[in-house]
């Protein structure tokens, strides 16, 4: 039996989600929700039902949800669409963000810079969290947007988004938050957070890949990134993928009903893993923010290669990941861990273990046993090579 401990990369699809999608894929496969006939209108009904479930999950009105092809497109629409959609905006606008955003936001920031927008990236502390006061200190009279993620994909660090939004609002600055890792895992609602725009993705909560959504507070204008038909209130052209959206809706419904399982199931497993690791490998170092997703563990094994550990665990049937992103086949050191001030050797020795509600005690035991053997074997090899 394989042990899957990479839920921050993707949460396995639930059977209920698959069934909701199958009904649309096989039942009325050609139905276009814009068609006036019965099958089209039934597809429309499923889409609007899903929109209600997703709105209920994050505490907004259904009309404030715009479907996208995933978290990446939601982030692009939020950041680039907001900046392009400002009516008669500042000639030299300024955007505030952080040094640990997902590439889906970071690459948009770079693209804005190429077009003359000034961007300040607030540094995180050693634990991976930003300080709301430091974010506020970087606001300028020309600042129009602050984009700060809610939970980090590599470390699970939860950022003080509500506090940042409160300070931004007082100055008329719009706030976007990438909540792809938080939605469906920790309870929050967009009104209490006080954000204007927020990105989510279905496959991080047990829905299908290729579908996500943007919460767009009523009254906020965005320039669409895709031009064409009038779908999604002219925010995102293209025939809505009814089956993917129905699957997303079902995943959101389950996530809302079973939200407590992330806290109730994954936190004890994660804490047991970390407790036992500390006892068995006193040299192991955890990158743990005071506020963190309950399922995520980022752990460095000094003197070891994270890539080698991840591959060896895979051979044992255990899926975890490194903290680093892969680019054209070459593993680059994690930008997030580097931004936390960790030396390169520590970055390169860090693995990410992300538990999910379907994990159990025996998964932790398998992981601990396998890690013990792998680290001992590698230490032996390193010592032998050095002697
Ligand atoms: N933002 C964060 C924080 C993520 O972790 C991810 C996915 O890993 C994304 C955005 C992109 O989402 P998607 O894979 O749906 O495009």
């Amino acid at each position: 039996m394989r042990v899957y401990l990479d839920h921050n990369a993707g949460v396995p699809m639930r059977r209920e989600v698959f069934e909701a999608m199958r009904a649309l894929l096989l039942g009325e496969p050609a139905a276009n929700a814009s068609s006036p006939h019965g099958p089209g209108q039934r597809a429309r009904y499923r889409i609007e039902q899903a929109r209600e479930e997703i709105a209920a999950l994050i505490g907004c009105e259904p009309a404030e949800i715009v479907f996208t092809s995933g978290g990446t497109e939601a982030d692009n629409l939020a950041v680039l669409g907001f900046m392009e959609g400002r009516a008669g905006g500042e000639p030299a606008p300024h955007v505030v963000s952080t040094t640990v955003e997902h590439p889906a936001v970071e690459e948009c920031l770079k693209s804005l810079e190429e077009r003359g927008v000034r961007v300040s990236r607030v540094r995180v502390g050693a634990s991976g969290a930003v300080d709301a006061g430091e974010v506020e200190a970087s606001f300028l009279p020309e600042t129009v947007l602050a984009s700060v993620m809610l939970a980090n994909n590599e470390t699970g660090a939860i950022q003080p988004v509500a506090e940042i939004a409160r300070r931004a609002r007082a100055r008329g600055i719009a706030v976007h938050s990438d909540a792809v890792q938080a939605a469906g895992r920790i309870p929050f609602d967009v009104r209490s957070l006080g954000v204007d725009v927020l990105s989510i993705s279905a496959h991080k909560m047990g829905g299908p890949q290729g579908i996500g959504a943007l919460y767009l507070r009523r009254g906020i204008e965005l320039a669409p990134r895709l031009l064409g038909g009038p779908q999604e209130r002219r925010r995102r052209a293209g025939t809505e993928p009814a089956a993917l959206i129905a699957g997303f809706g079902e995943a959101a419904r389950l996530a809302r009903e079973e939200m407590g399982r992330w806290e109730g199931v994954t936190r004890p497993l994660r804490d047991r893993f970390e407790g036992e690791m500390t006892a068995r490998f006193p040299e192991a170092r955890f990158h743990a923010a005071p506020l963190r997703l309950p399922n995520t563990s980022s752990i460095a094994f000094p003197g070891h290669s994270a890539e080698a550990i991840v591959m060896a665990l895979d051979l044992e049937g255990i899926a975890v990941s490194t903290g680093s992103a892969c680019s054209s086949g070459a593993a680059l050191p994690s930008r997030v861990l580097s931004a936390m001030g960790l030396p390169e050797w520590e970055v390169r020795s860090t693995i990410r273990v992300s538990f999910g509600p379907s994990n159990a005690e025996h998964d932790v035991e398998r992981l601990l046993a396998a890690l013990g053997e792998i680290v001992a074997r590698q230490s032996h090899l390193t010592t032998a090579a050095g002697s």
Side-chain angles (χ1 to χ4, degrees):
M1 273 283 280
R2 282 197 72 85
V3 176
Y4 184 75
L5 298 170
D6 198 16
H7 291 79
N8 287 12
V11 174
M13 189 186 284
R14 295 276 296 264
R15 173 147 293 278
E16 296 90 325
V17 171
F18 175 72
E19 293 300 341
M21 290 172 63
R22 188 157 84 154
L24 274 151
L25 287 168
L26 294 180
E28 283 161 349
N32 184 323
S34 299
S35 301
H37 47 60
Q41 288 315 291
R42 280 193 286 280
R44 165 67 48 211
Y45 175 72
R46 294 283 174 226
I47 290 173
E48 296 316 318
Q49 232 183 1
R51 201 186 301 275
E52 281 175 26
E53 292 294 354
I54 293 156
L57 177 69
I58 61 170
C60 67
E61 291 171 29
E64 292 173 310
I65 294 290
V66 178
F67 287 113
T68 64
S69 64
T72 300
E73 189 191 328
D75 282 340
N76 275 253
L77 182 56
V79 176
L80 300 179
F82 177 82
M83 293 305 287
E84 285 168 14
R86 292 172 320 115
E90 304 279 336
H94 176 243
V95 174
V96 171
S97 189
T98 79
T99 49
V100 293
E101 298 300 313
H102 189 273
V105 167
E106 171 55 28
E107 292 301 316
C108 291
L109 298 176
K110 284 189 196 154
S111 160
L112 289 175
E113 284 175 314
E114 282 162 16
R115 297 180 230 170
V117 174
R118 284 174 303 154
V119 177
S120 299
R121 294 170 182 80
V122 180
R123 293 158 83 102
V124 294
S127 72
V130 280
D131 180 81
E134 281 185 35
V135 175
E136 183 176 26
S138 67
F139 290 158
L140 301 173
E142 303 79 33
T143 311
V144 292
L145 176 69
S147 179
V148 178
M149 71 196 324
L150 191 49
N152 186 270
N153 39 305
E154 292 187 30
T155 62
I158 295 176
Q159 306 294 0
V161 172
E163 185 54 29
I164 291 167
R166 195 180 62 75
R167 296 174 191 221
R169 241 197 343 253
R171 296 173 183 237
I173 298 167
V175 179
H176 163 245
S177 186
D178 174 340
V180 165
Q181 291 289 342
R185 301 180 183 191
I186 53 170
F188 69 85
D189 73 86
V190 291
R191 305 271 187 255
S192 321
L193 275 185
V195 295
D196 300 287
V197 195
L198 178 131
S199 318
I200 61 176
S201 176
H203 74 105
K204 306 290 185 185
M205 59 174 90
Q209 295 172 346
I211 184 77
L214 194 66
Y215 153 72
L216 191 57
R217 186 168 66 75
R218 197 180 279 276
I220 298 282
E221 284 309 323
L222 291 184
R225 309 288 308 154
L226 285 183
L227 304 178
Q231 291 91 350
E232 297 301 289
R233 295 169 186 254
R234 300 198 172 274
R235 265 59 178 257
R236 204 275 187 180
T239 301
E240 299 94 333
L244 291 178
I245 292 175
F248 189 5
E250 182 62 9
R253 186 187 71 75
L254 290 166
R256 189 156 61 98
E257 272 180 10
E258 300 175 7
M259 180 90 69
R261 290 174 55 78
W262 288 86
E263 186 62 37
V265 175
T266 70
R267 184 183 292 279
L269 295 178
R270 195 268 312 266
D271 289 354
R272 176 172 168 214
F273 166 66
E274 293 193 351
E276 299 217 11
M277 287 304 297
T278 309
R280 295 185 199 187
F281 302 95
E283 69 279 13
R285 294 174 57 160
F286 293 97
H287 312 127
L291 275 179
R292 186 165 51 129
L293 288 177
N295 76 317
T296 308
S297 200
S298 172
I299 171 173
F301 293 90
H304 294 266
S305 147
E307 261 183 86
I309 294 178
V310 168
M311 283 190 286
L313 282 173
D314 186 42
L315 291 176
E316 300 290 326
I318 301 172
V320 302
S321 80
T322 57
S324 57
C326 281
S327 160
S328 48
L332 299 170
S334 153
R335 198 172 40 83
V336 170
L337 298 176
S338 303
M340 287 157 61
L342 303 184
E344 189 171 336
W345 64 262
E346 187 168 343
V347 173
R348 289 195 182 273
S349 74
T350 297
I351 68 166
R352 177 186 73 184
V353 179
S354 49
F355 295 90
S358 57
N359 288 129
E361 290 283 335
H362 54 81
D363 297 327
V364 178
E365 277 145 27
R366 283 265 309 272
L367 175 65
L368 286 167
L371 263 178
E373 273 176 33
I374 291 164
V375 172
R377 201 187 317 144
Q378 289 188 355
S379 303
H380 179 68
L381 285 178
T382 320
T383 319
S387 61

